[in-house]
Amino acid sequence: MADVTTPTTNPNDRNVQGSIQENYLDEYWVGKTAADKSTSWLYLGDGITNVTPKYTDKKKSAAYYNGGGQERQTVTGVTASYDISGDRSIGNPAQDDIADMKQKTGGLRERMFRKVQWLQEDDGSLTPNAIESGMGTFSDIDDGGGAADDNGSFKVTMTYNATPAVIKASDPAGMQAALADTPCQNAIILGVKANMPNVSGTPAKQ
């Protein structure tokens, strides 16, 4: 007898396809310092060619009597950071602000950092999916240099000082407030509309 496939309404039983997006749709911002709450957010995009997130786990290992002698690992902490690199764009406010920190120490190396994840719809418009923000420390700053016939390089590592706050699409009011400070740049660059969430649940156009 041939196998019979029984239809199901359970989404966990189906091959649900997600939305694969290009990395440039993610927008990164350098923001306010601990001392100056009035500082504007600066879009970190010009000259940037690569952003690599890293999550370093702190782990504890222990062998328990009910584990058959095997060690069990428990993650006790996570350090989240971003390696950012590209070409040095002199005059770009975000890059200049980071470059100015290279001789500084302590709290003078700290800034707010934000990642806004945008999804592109079938009509080309952009919809915010998640916003991640937190105070971070900027280290290992590379402000230019390299071969004579190459562009000056730019590198920095941003490490969160604590677990960042995440606003998801299910919180339209929170998203709307955050996006007032960091409006969609790709909507301007690509000449498309940004679908802004509103508290009524109906997307609005930016």
Side-chain angles (χ1 to χ4, degrees), residues 121-153:
E121 307 293 349
D122 291 340
D123 64 357
S125 65
L126 300 172
T127 301
N129 186 59
I131 302 173
E132 173 188 293
S133 306
M135 187 66 72
T137 297
F138 290 74
S139 63
D140 302 317
I141 299 169
D142 180 359
D143 174 27
D149 60 349
D150 200 358
N151 295 333
S153 62

Side-chain angles (χ1 to χ4, degrees), residues 31-39 97 101 107-108 110-112 135:
K32 302 166 183 172
T33 66
D36 184 4
K37 299 296 184 182
S38 64
T39 305
D97 182 54
M101 288 190 275
L108 297 178
E110 296 181 351
R111 295 283 189 280
M112 285 293 291
M135 187 66 72

Side-chain angles (χ1 to χ4, degrees), residues 86-132:
D87 296 329
R88 177 68 171 101
S89 177
I90 298 173
N92 174 260
Q95 281 206 24
D96 286 352
D97 182 54
I98 294 170
D100 287 345
M101 288 190 275
K102 63 181 180 287
Q103 300 288 354
K104 299 176 181 178
T105 60
L108 297 178
R109 284 288 190 102
E110 296 181 351
R111 295 283 189 280
M112 285 293 291
F113 186 80
R114 173 172 290 173
K115 173 185 177 181
V116 184
Q117 183 184 67
W118 292 90
L119 303 181
Q120 191 158 38
E121 307 293 349
D122 291 340
D123 64 357
S125 65
L126 300 172
T127 301
N129 186 59
I131 302 173
E132 173 188 293

Side-chain angles (χ1 to χ4, degrees), residues 6 17 24 44 63 71 81 91 97 106 115 171 183 202 204:
T6 304
Q17 295 183 340
Y24 73 85
L44 184 59
E71 283 196 347
S81 63
D97 182 54
K115 173 185 177 181
D171 180 8
T202 304

Side-chain angles (χ1 to χ4, degrees), residues 46 85 90 120 123 163 187 199-200:
D46 190 35
S85 61
I90 298 173
Q120 191 158 38
D123 64 357
T163 302
V199 292
S200 68

